[in-house]
Amino acid sequence: DGGITQSPKYLFRKEGQNVTLSCEQNLNHDAMYWYRQDPGQGLRLIYYSQIVNDFQKGDIAEGYSVSREKKESFPLTVTSAQKNPTAFYLCASSIDPTGASETQYFGPGTRLLVL
Amino acid sequence: SQKIEQNSEALNIQEGKTATLTCNYTNYSPAYLQWYRQDPGRGPVFLLLIRENEKEKRKERLKVTFDTTLKQSLFHITASQPADSATYLCALANSGYALNFGKGTSLLVTP
């Protein structure tokens, strides 16, 4: 089956700990995105990547880091610098490298909770 | 500043009726406008994309209109069913920029 997978479904973080959220796609899409969603809020863009080995900050990149070493993978690390990490994290991809207005395909999400 | 506004109050309608959701935007000149559906605890799913030169687009029971003068899109679900209950997100971007999403409107269709 083609699609986007995210793991884990739930993730618990201790104070001062870095955690990494996985995102894998087998759609052969060039562009990938990470969003954060808080209750009752819209999706806010954290980082996006239009091509392998390149990525750009979104609106709320502080406290997060990403890598894009392979086309199919775009992991997100929530660092200890992110003081309010509890949220629902969504990964998405789109066909067009420009990515700007193209349809996005979303993964099932990872819910991050702080212990 | 750029804004995408969707009704924050939930929309409750009776099965069989037409649901109409509104998306208003300011300080955008979007080439496209998209609508997504999101169920609780899941990722959004793409429904429809409408281009700036299109007034209306249809897909089965769904209809989207796009008025660039009013800076508004309307999303209609005809003959609504309880299975249509979900949150519906409007999304748009200026050309060359990343997509921005509204906060969504929750729709509840009761039997």
Side-chain angles (χ1 to χ4, degrees):
Chain A
D1 288 339
I4 300 179
T5 57
Q6 291 186 243
S7 62
K9 187 171 182 178
Y10 295 96
L11 185 58
F12 298 91
R13 193 191 91 163
K14 295 180 181 178
E15 292 285 342
Q17 186 181 39
N18 292 354
V19 292
T20 297
L21 285 62
S22 169
C23 178
E24 304 278 331
Q25 54 101 357
N26 60 5
L27 301 168
N28 200 32
H29 286 175
D30 284 302
M32 295 187 75
Y33 311 83
W34 274 106
Y35 293 92
R36 169 181 173 142
Q37 188 175 36
D38 294 280
Q41 300 296 314
L43 280 66
R44 291 186 290 168
L45 183 64
I46 304 172
Y47 269 98
Y48 65 103
S49 169
Q50 295 172 316
I51 198 167
V52 174
N53 292 322
D54 188 43
F55 48 83
Q56 286 79 39
K57 292 181 179 180
D59 300 321
I60 55 165
E62 186 174 350
Y64 300 97
S65 66
V66 294
S67 63
R68 186 88 186 275
E69 297 176 1
K70 298 185 295 183
K71 186 175 185 177
E72 59 270 23
S73 179
F74 191 40
L76 172 75
T77 296
V78 184
T79 74
S80 58
Q82 173 49 247
K83 298 306 179 187
N84 184 23
T86 298
F88 189 46
Y89 290 86
L90 288 159
C91 179
S93 69
S94 64
I95 297 171
D96 195 314
T98 63
S101 298
E102 293 297 319
T103 300
Q104 295 192 6
Y105 298 82
F106 284 85
T110 292
R111 191 166 298 279
L112 177 61
L113 300 166
V114 177
L115 294 176
Chain B
S1 62
Q2 293 177 323
K3 288 184 182 179
I4 302 172
E5 295 179 332
Q6 297 186 252
N7 289 350
S8 57
E9 292 184 12
L11 179 63
N12 294 340
I13 65 166
Q14 199 172 16
E15 182 176 10
K17 301 291 186 184
T18 296
T20 299
L21 285 68
T22 305
C23 175
N24 294 300
Y25 59 91
T26 55
N27 293 322
Y28 284 97
S29 298
Y32 308 82
L33 189 143
Q34 303 182 35
W35 284 88
Y36 290 77
R37 168 184 173 142
Q38 186 175 23
D39 291 285
R42 308 190 74 152
V45 175
F46 169 76
L47 296 175
L48 280 168
L49 179 152
I50 187 166
R51 292 177 170 78
E52 60 179 337
N53 60 351
E54 297 176 316
K55 296 293 185 185
E56 180 180 299
K57 197 128 183 214
R58 292 174 185 263
K59 179 183 176 182
E60 298 173 351
R61 294 184 296 110
L62 309 180
K63 184 179 84 171
V64 172
T65 62
F66 191 14
D67 189 326
T68 55
T69 301
L70 290 178
K71 297 186 181 300
Q72 180 182 80
S73 174
L74 299 178
F75 177 80
H76 306 274
I77 305 175
T78 59
S80 59
Q81 304 166 1
D84 295 326
S85 299
T87 296
Y88 291 86
L89 306 173
C90 166
L92 51 90
N94 288 332
S95 180
Y97 289 86
L99 206 57
N100 288 304
F101 287 81
K103 294 181 181 180
T105 298
S106 176
L107 173 66
L108 178 62
V109 182
T110 53

